[in-house]
Amino acid sequence: MAAVAERVAGIPLARPGRFAALVVIGPQGPRDTVSRMMRSLGARDVVQAGTIEEARRRARLLGPHALCVTDVALPDGSGVALLRDLRALGWQRGVVVSTMDDAYTVRGALTSGVRCFLVSGRPAASSHDHGSSGLAEQLSEREVEVLQHVANGRSNKEIGAALGLSALTVKSHLARIARKVGTGDRAEMVMLSLRAGVIH
């Protein structure tokens, strides 16, 4: 965690000892660890949340000058999507922590405006505690097929041709997938599906 602390300390924060942090991580243990790290870096206030819904409520306690540190996958959706929502409310400081450093995960975060992406040393097995493993149960077989084609970089028209569907039907499938995974961004859909083991 020391290496992580150094990198977090390197991003623009408010004056030392005068910033607040919102830590959004599903499992309590890692959430407490990151919260302690924020305090060691000088955070005046540290507010915790385990889900996106909880984070949105608690963000009001801090205001837009706070730093949000979130896991990439949360029980009710994408931490990247949370940061995007907060940015629309004026938040400028966001850090994503993940156990995954694959191209889809990093690209999805950075293209969404995340300023810092950290790979933690947490065992990958614990990522199943975030609820992403339940994604396989939520998606239909056809939706998984569509996602696999999205991961392969195919357009809606190309996916339709491969599966014998119209582009409009593919678009409808993607809309349902978006509701289930918590984001309509194609890169984030793929990122979360890869993490959950739904596609390969």
Side-chain angles (χ1 to χ4, degrees):
M1 292 300 280
V4 173
E6 289 172 6
R7 293 177 67 184
V8 173
I11 70 170
L13 298 175
R15 288 190 306 168
R18 297 297 299 273
F19 74 95
L22 173 63
V23 176
V24 191
I25 297 176
Q28 185 69 53
R31 189 164 70 240
D32 287 340
T33 298
V34 173
S35 295
R36 286 193 298 270
M37 184 178 70
M38 290 296 101
R39 292 188 181 95
S40 72
L41 291 173
R44 180 186 66 241
D45 299 309
V46 177
V47 174
Q48 294 190 10
T51 64
I52 291 176
E53 182 180 358
E54 187 179 13
R56 286 172 177 155
R57 291 197 308 268
R58 297 192 172 182
R60 302 189 192 105
L61 302 174
L62 297 175
H65 297 294
L67 166 69
C68 180
V69 181
T70 180
D71 201 338
V72 71
L74 296 163
D76 53 348
S78 164
V80 174
L82 169 64
L83 289 181
R84 188 168 54 238
D85 292 346
L86 291 177
R87 191 166 59 254
L89 297 175
W91 288 58
Q92 297 299 315
R93 301 180 178 93
V95 174
V96 170
V97 179
S98 175
T99 57
M100 299 187 66
D101 60 355
D102 63 88
Y104 286 114
T105 303
V106 177
R107 185 180 67 181
L110 297 181
T111 57
S112 295
V114 172
R115 300 178 66 182
C116 185
F117 188 101
L118 302 175
V119 180
S120 74
R122 206 170 42 197
S126 67
S127 66
H128 294 296
D129 295 337
H130 295 235
S132 60
S133 59
L135 187 59
E137 299 173 3
Q138 299 177 46
L139 296 172
S140 69
E141 183 177 342
R142 178 64 82 185
E143 288 166 349
V144 171
E145 289 178 325
V146 169
L147 270 172
Q148 188 64 63
H149 283 291
V150 171
N152 292 334
R154 296 195 171 114
S155 67
N156 288 5
K157 184 177 180 180
E158 291 170 331
I159 295 171
L163 298 178
L165 305 171
S166 70
L168 184 60
T169 300
V170 173
K171 186 176 180 180
S172 296
H173 280 303
L174 288 170
R176 285 194 292 273
I177 293 169
R179 288 194 294 271
K180 293 176 181 179
V181 302
T183 177
D185 181 87
R186 292 169 85 97
E188 288 180 49
M189 284 182 184
V190 171
M191 170 184 72
L192 293 170
S193 300
L194 283 168
R195 180 177 184 130
V198 174
I199 58 176
H200 306 284

